[in-house]
Amino acid sequence: MSAPYECILTEVRGEGQRKTALIRLNRPKQLNALSDQLFDELGHALLGFDADEGIGCIVLTGSERAFAAGADIPTLAQYDYMRAIRENMITRNWEHILRVRKPVIAAVAGFALGGGCELAMMCDFIIAADTAKFGQPEIKLAVTPGAGGTQRLPRAIGKSKAMDLLLTARMMDAAEAERAGLVSRVVPAEQLLDEALSAAEAINAMSAPVAVLMKELVNRAFEGPLSDTVAVERRTFHSLFGTPDQKEGMAAFLEKRAPQFRHGKA
């Protein structure tokens, strides 16, 4: 991706048919505090990679010290209620990631606090370094989370633990986050990026249309009533029996060989 960025770094990893886009948040002096410019750049990069047929998965990470230590408080402190409404704060540019259809993996080391924790939760799953610390400390600033912290956190870890974190502003380490279900796995910090890229490579080897549909189905389960979401899952399952990748996947299994997916191409 050729676009010049100031607050993020982008690169493409891998050598196969489908590659992995790596996006690093890059405001080291501010511990990757989430500014408007950062989110404008992040949205541009995410949507660009999502539109690139050569990209199968996206990994989003920060630095060793911080994934993102929260929103850019000096900027937020300048807002009043009417300005927040007029400029559509958060909604305007924080949620581009929710439009990305391809899998997005958060690779988190160090602090993921406030908006940083919310951004990680917007990803499809989180791989954490053993140095990671998660929290929603907004109550210390006399505000609530504004990018889904009070909604996604209890869905991920349950009401009681979410209330504990939100009301006391305490941080949760990586081990507790894994036990609670916020993160999928914890690895030594020096192995974090390799682990995330390995997971992305595994996803890239699967049928791309199925990965997109799987993501949609899980998100429906996360957000909707069970009877409706199971019905959507069933119809999606039925529809995939009309695809070449399904024929190839089951034939390869029966023939005891690796599948050669066409990723929806004729």
Side-chain angles (χ1 to χ4, degrees), residues 6 12 47 51 85 87 113 118 125 226 235 256:
E6 295 180 8
V12 174
L47 297 177
I85 294 296
E87 297 185 10
L113 304 177
E118 290 171 309
F125 62 95
L226 182 61
R235 285 292 175 250
K256 297 180 170 56

Side-chain angles (χ1 to χ4, degrees), residues 83-95:
R83 181 182 174 188
I85 294 296
R86 184 174 64 252
E87 297 185 10
N88 205 15
M89 183 200 292
I90 295 177
T91 308
R92 181 179 67 80
N93 57 357
W94 281 49
E95 297 182 331

